[in-house]
Amino acid sequence: MAEAKKSSWPEFVGQPGAAAVAAIKAERPELEVSTSPCDAMLTMDFRENRVRIMVDAAGNVVAPPTCG
């Protein structure tokens, strides 16, 4: 049985967004990982290969990054 790949990273909440991007890309290089301001307008389409990391004005992660 294949091991399920991680799809959520709650441990990065409160951490710098750049560090979260680097860690997620290292763990799952097939994903498109990027940061966005927490008040940004974004498309709501679901994409399994995308992780959006929502950051505050200081650049810290404000919500658990997840695939989608």
Side-chain angles (χ1 to χ4, degrees):
M1 187 163 92
E3 185 177 325
K5 293 182 179 180
K6 190 170 182 179
S7 63
S8 179
W9 294 266
E11 65 271 20
F12 290 119
V13 173
Q15 302 298 314
V21 169
I24 294 169
K25 282 184 176 181
E27 185 176 333
R28 301 269 319 265
E30 74 278 11
L31 296 176
E32 295 178 20
V33 185
S34 63
T35 59
S36 296
C38 59
D39 59 352
M41 292 181 61
L42 304 169
T43 61
M44 297 303 293
D45 58 316
F46 183 86
R47 292 180 41 207
E48 291 182 11
N49 67 331
R50 177 178 62 202
V51 177
R52 287 183 175 150
I53 300 175
M54 306 309 289
V55 297
D56 60 16
N60 295 320
V61 179
V62 296
T66 58
C67 291

